[in-house]
Amino acid sequence: MRFQKNTYICSVIKKTIIMESNYRITVIFKDEVIREEFNTKEVAKMEVEILKKLFPKKFMSGALEERGERWKVIWVLAN
């Protein structure tokens, strides 16, 4: 049930335009890790902030990464 709720939240916030995903978030909860790719930096950053507000007691950390030769962390939100 927990995974389905998180997946629903991610799919509601994502843009439906088909583009190359240049940004990725990694959100760490106490009992699971979520990794999703996004088209824009603003949407990805907003997703991390929303997940922190929705799950304040379970949220541990979230990172925003940018695609290059390798994924590079460009922003972090910690509890």
Side-chain angles (χ1 to χ4, degrees):
M1 178 72 173
R2 204 173 316 124
F3 179 73
Q4 290 175 346
K5 186 175 183 180
N6 293 341
T7 303
Y8 174 74
I9 292 166
C10 291
S11 64
V12 168
I13 295 173
K14 278 187 189 179
K15 288 187 173 184
T16 57
I17 300 170
I18 298 174
M19 296 174 61
E20 185 177 335
S21 299
N22 292 322
Y23 298 94
R24 176 173 78 179
I25 62 167
T26 302
V27 180
I28 302 169
F29 292 104
K30 289 182 179 179
D31 54 353
E32 68 182 306
V33 175
I34 297 174
R35 187 171 273 167
E36 290 286 329
E37 293 186 9
F38 294 88
N39 299 327
T40 64
K41 180 173 29 175
E42 294 80 20
V43 174
K45 188 175 178 182
M46 183 178 63
E47 173 75 16
V48 175
E49 293 170 348
I50 289 173
L51 287 172
K52 180 178 168 73
K53 289 177 187 175
L54 289 173
F55 305 101
K57 296 185 188 243
K58 293 185 177 190
F59 185 89
M60 300 287 287
S61 179
L64 174 60
E65 301 167 279
E66 186 173 33
R67 183 185 301 234
E69 284 184 30
R70 299 176 60 172
W71 288 100
K72 178 183 172 186
V73 175
I74 58 172
W75 182 79
V76 176
L77 179 63
N79 200 6

